[in-house]
Amino acid sequence: MKRLLRRSRLLILVGLAVVISLTMGPLMLSSNQTAARGSGSVVAQGNPPPPTLAPTLPMVSGQYEDPQGRFQVGILDGYQVSTVANAPLLQAPDGSLAYTVAVSPLPPDRAALSEAELVAMAEQTFRHGEGFLLGPPQPIAGNGVQISWTGRLTQGNAPPQPIAGQIYARQRGDSIFLLLVAATDAAQAQVNDAIAALGSTLTVP
């Protein structure tokens, strides 16, 4: 049972990493081409390049309902919904940002977890990802924590690519709900808005 649970947790993070990396090559190529065109303009005009504005995070336009009735979470407009290891996987069309919700039971004979224990639960759930590291936690209202994280993704012979995001961990009843947002470099500016918006939509019956 423990081996199956570890495999499911690994598939969740691997699924996120694979999905958000599918277009990493095209995104980097497009960025390089834009930079090349911009550099030509800079040389000609002698002006600094204009600042790059972060893309706006889409609005929440729907609600994902867990088939087992454990929770609901918002669906960002235009995001695609699929399932990995019995957990939802919601992703941007360009693959630059994705999120999931994992549910873990309380340890035996425990009625509540401290903030430190919530962090430990998040680490235990997602630690099998490549280079997965948690940052310092920040408390949130209602007995929960928000945690930054970083990781790496290696595909084939390509050098490792960085991925990062936030985890929103909260206890409800006898379960721990972990909302994980993951993003490539292209969508890092959207991570804080995403975790704030989606965290407010995560509801438990």
Side-chain angles (χ1 to χ4, degrees):
M1 179 68 181
K2 289 183 178 178
R3 182 178 300 175
L4 179 60
L5 185 59
R6 283 197 298 268
R7 178 174 174 81
S8 296
R9 289 168 175 168
L10 176 60
L11 286 174
I12 291 171
L13 193 58
V14 168
L16 274 169
V18 168
V19 167
I20 64 177
S21 69
L22 289 177
T23 57
M24 189 174 292
L27 281 172
M28 293 176 66
L29 177 60
S30 175
S31 177
N32 290 340
Q33 290 172 340
T34 301
R37 288 195 297 267
S39 63
S41 175
V42 169
V43 170
Q45 299 178 5
N47 296 323
T52 301
L53 299 178
T56 303
L57 186 74
M59 300 291 290
V60 173
S61 63
Q63 197 80 359
Y64 172 86
E65 297 186 9
D66 175 56
Q68 300 179 45
R70 298 172 297 176
F71 64 87
Q72 296 180 344
V73 69
I75 302 174
L76 295 175
D77 187 36
Y79 273 48
Q80 302 161 355
V81 182
S82 58
T83 302
V84 176
N86 296 320
L89 180 61
L90 302 97
Q91 56 178 318
D94 66 0
S96 62
L97 190 144
Y99 58 100
T100 189
V101 177
V103 183
S104 294
L106 275 177
D109 303 322
R110 292 299 306 273
L113 296 186
S114 65
E115 290 181 0
E117 290 170 322
L118 285 174
V119 174
M121 181 69 75
E123 183 174 20
Q124 179 182 353
T125 301
F126 297 112
R127 66 185 176 188
H128 301 286
E130 182 182 0
F132 181 76
L133 292 173
L134 291 178
Q138 299 292 329
I140 55 178
N143 186 29
V145 291
Q146 183 173 324
I147 319 158
S148 61
W149 66 271
T150 58
R152 299 187 307 274
L153 175 67
T154 301
Q155 287 188 307
N157 295 324
Q161 299 290 337
I163 55 174
Q166 297 274 346
I167 298 172
Y168 179 102
R170 173 167 284 177
Q171 178 182 346
R172 282 293 180 267
D174 59 358
S175 297
I176 306 301
F177 294 84
L178 301 164
L179 166 64
L180 180 142
V181 175
T184 63
D185 284 343
Q188 279 302 305
Q190 295 181 325
V191 168
N192 288 338
D193 288 343
I195 199 72
L198 296 169
S200 66
T201 70
L202 181 60
T203 58
V204 179

